[in-house]
Amino acid sequence: MNKIDPGVTVGHIHLKVSDLDRSITFYRDVLGFEVTQRVGDFVAFLSAGGYHHHVGLNTLQSKGGTAAPAGHTGMYHAAFLFPNRAALAQTVRSILSAGVPLSGATDHGVSEAVYLSDPDGNGVELYVDRAPDDWPRDTDGNISMNNTPLNLDALLDA
């Protein structure tokens, strides 16, 4: 069996959106990404920290479209890893200040995660990993993730 190199990372995602300006507003003004390039009303690229892009938005096949109905296949969510709890808390405060509802907040043992949807119904996970030495493990030493409610107030105090 072929194994992917452990140094591989996910560099970016491209999302089909129905309204480019609305999506830019969400990813830029609510989540805090920076627009690195825009091509008319068709494509925009956004990044964290000056990378060419982490998020690509386009209306090439979806302008004015609707979200896929529940029960259909597609992307479950895009996950954005934050460097620390304080950075995650800052973005969650921005989301709440913008009046964007959270759809969940979970302590997975290995990470703390907050969930929401973008304006087109694409799932978004914002999370911070715990140090690997703090990950819960079973008696055989295997990672034992869980899905307990996240103490959002404690996160926001970070």
Side-chain angles (χ1 to χ4, degrees):
M1 176 172 79
N2 184 32
K3 289 191 176 185
I4 196 165
D5 186 287
V8 170
T9 62
V10 176
H12 57 264
I13 59 167
H14 284 250
L15 300 172
K16 293 191 291 185
V17 300
S18 62
D19 182 315
L20 191 62
D21 288 328
R22 181 180 70 176
S23 292
I24 289 171
T25 297
F26 176 81
Y27 284 94
R28 181 193 60 210
D29 299 349
V30 176
L31 296 186
F33 287 95
E34 299 173 47
V35 175
T36 58
Q37 184 177 6
R38 181 174 177 157
V39 181
D41 289 331
F42 304 107
V43 178
F45 298 106
L46 297 94
S47 113
Y51 187 63
H52 56 83
H53 74 284
H54 291 102
V55 178
L57 305 170
N58 77 72
T59 59
L60 298 171
Q61 300 172 345
S62 55
K63 188 169 186 165
T66 59
H72 284 70
T73 60
M75 182 179 69
Y76 186 68
H77 64 236
F80 299 99
L81 174 62
F82 283 70
N84 55 57
R85 288 182 91 228
L88 175 59
Q90 178 182 340
T91 297
V92 172
R93 284 191 290 273
S94 173
I95 292 164
L96 296 173
S97 293
V100 175
L102 300 180
S103 56
T106 304
D107 184 337
H108 293 295
V110 298
S111 64
E112 295 176 296
V114 175
Y115 300 92
L116 63 151
S117 293
D118 78 2
D120 287 290
N122 296 307
V124 175
E125 175 185 1
L126 310 175
Y127 73 105
V128 62
D129 276 338
R130 288 194 170 93
D133 288 345
D134 296 333
W135 292 354
R137 298 188 183 270
D138 64 19
T139 55
D140 294 325
N142 299 311
I143 297 170
S144 180
M145 291 179 61
N146 55 55
N147 287 309
T148 59
L150 177 65
N151 182 339
L152 196 55
D153 290 333
L155 173 66
L156 294 174
D157 286 340

